[in-house]
Amino acid sequence: MTPFPRAGFIRRLASLIYDALVVIAFAMLTTIVYLALVQGMISIGWFTLEGHEDVTALIQATPTLYYLRSVLLVAVSVAFFAYFWTKSGQTIGMRAWRLKVQRNDGKLLTWPQAVARSLTAILGLGNLMVILDRKQKRALQDLICKSEVVLLSKEENKKVYDSLDD
């Protein structure tokens, strides 16, 4: 049992908003790289604009390119959260709000748990369950993945961050 209390809805929401800004930046970068790759494929003759005014219109009109872009954006988002959760238990936003995600036994999430947790969070909507479960403060993704989000003390939050330098 962890010595830290589980995090409530407001802190989770604040952390999610903070992290959303980072994920949006990664999504923009991913989109730029994807557009450049498609443009490169057009340049070497693998694709043609086929009457579309630009690369973006081609992607929108080509189901394979459109769905590939969507899969890439989801993969980047999932990878962002999974990386941080498996490395330290904290994303950038969680660090700012002194939150840490961990398994119920207090250990860091495994990659499969972190990926599953990210996908089952349903864009953060899974956290709404914390409002209904005021006593246990468990979100949908916590229940499914046997994890919890705890509120760290200032000292413990600093220890988690400092341990990344080792």
Side-chain angles (χ1 to χ4, degrees), residues 22-159:
V22 178
V23 170
I24 288 168
F26 277 117
M28 291 170 63
L29 180 61
T30 301
T31 300
I32 290 168
V33 170
Y34 186 68
L35 289 170
L37 287 173
V38 173
Q39 183 62 53
M41 288 187 275
I42 290 169
S43 297
I44 61 174
W46 289 1
F47 286 102
T48 63
L49 283 178
E50 300 171 2
H52 300 289
E53 59 190 53
D54 59 19
V55 175
T56 305
L58 174 66
I59 292 170
Q60 293 291 328
T62 310
T64 303
L65 293 176
Y66 180 80
Y67 290 117
L68 179 58
R69 183 202 61 179
S70 300
V71 168
L72 282 172
L73 292 174
V74 169
V76 165
S77 298
V78 168
F80 168 81
F81 287 102
Y83 172 78
F84 283 103
W85 289 341
T86 58
K87 184 172 170 82
S88 67
Q90 293 182 303
T91 59
I92 296 166
M94 294 174 85
R95 165 99 171 96
W97 288 93
R98 297 190 348 246
L99 302 179
K100 180 181 179 187
V101 66
Q102 59 190 18
R103 298 185 332 204
N104 289 338
D105 64 6
K107 295 180 181 174
L108 291 175
L109 299 182
T110 63
W111 267 94
Q113 277 180 304
V115 169
R117 189 174 198 286
S118 182
L119 292 171
T120 58
I122 314 168
L123 298 175
L125 293 177
N127 288 313
L128 291 174
M129 201 167 138
V130 174
I131 295 171
L132 302 174
D133 186 15
R134 290 179 184 255
K135 187 175 180 180
Q136 293 293 320
K137 296 182 180 175
R138 302 290 295 264
L140 176 65
Q141 60 271 23
D142 294 327
L143 294 171
I144 292 172
C145 299
K146 296 178 176 65
S147 61
E148 63 184 356
V149 176
V150 295
L151 175 59
L152 300 175
S153 65
K154 289 181 182 179
E155 296 78 23
E156 188 64 24
N157 195 47
K158 184 170 175 24
K159 282 182 193 176

